[in-house]
Amino acid sequence: MSPVRRCSRTACGRPAVATLTYVYADSTAVLGPLATYAEPHCYDLCAEHSERLTAPRGWEVVRLTDGSAPARPSGDDLEALANAVREAGRPQGRPAEAQNGRRTADPLEVARRGHLRVLRSPEN
């Protein structure tokens, strides 16, 4: 027997990610995270079938989310990410150049060794 539980839908062999239970007394279909073990009156569903699940007319579908699953990004999250990418892509101001075309040191820069810089504390 395979350790991976499969979708209960006919002719679907994808791995199960959610468990469906019907509560007949409340006319409710409860779709939650995959149960720890298979029960005879519950149905294991793959991701595609759990997303497309509909209940009989007059029934309510309750979808329980797994707290460990990552939440989908909201519009605000995507906008903040886009703004951060735009800001990082903006060209930085060109360093000040002296008369001979040589770059002047940053006023906070004390020493330089290769690509590393030693900076003075801004308080001094």
Side-chain angles (χ1 to χ4, degrees):
M1 183 171 201
S2 173
V4 177
R5 294 191 349 223
R6 300 288 175 192
C7 183
S8 298
R9 296 289 302 257
T10 305
C12 182
R14 291 185 286 259
V17 296
T19 299
L20 171 67
T21 307
Y22 289 108
V23 182
Y24 293 98
D26 297 332
S27 299
T28 304
V30 180
L31 183 67
L34 189 62
T36 310
Y37 54 91
E39 295 198 29
H41 299 289
C42 294
Y43 303 93
D44 294 335
L45 299 176
C46 65
E48 182 180 341
H49 286 121
S50 64
E51 289 174 10
R52 295 187 336 190
L53 175 74
T54 59
R57 184 175 293 150
W59 283 54
E60 181 182 0
V61 176
V62 175
R63 295 178 186 268
L64 304 174
T65 58
D66 182 6
S68 66
R72 289 189 172 183
S74 69
D76 292 339
D77 293 339
L78 295 176
E79 185 176 344
L81 179 60
N83 289 339
V85 169
R86 278 190 214 105
E87 186 67 30
R90 283 193 183 133
Q92 299 297 322
R94 297 186 70 184
E97 295 189 1
Q99 293 176 340
N100 296 341
R102 299 176 67 183
R103 204 172 76 174
T104 59
D106 184 345
L108 296 178
E109 186 175 320
V110 175
R112 178 181 283 265
R113 177 169 279 174
H115 66 282
L116 301 175
R117 299 185 308 164
V118 177
L119 302 178
R120 182 179 22 174
S121 173
E123 299 157 357
N124 294 338

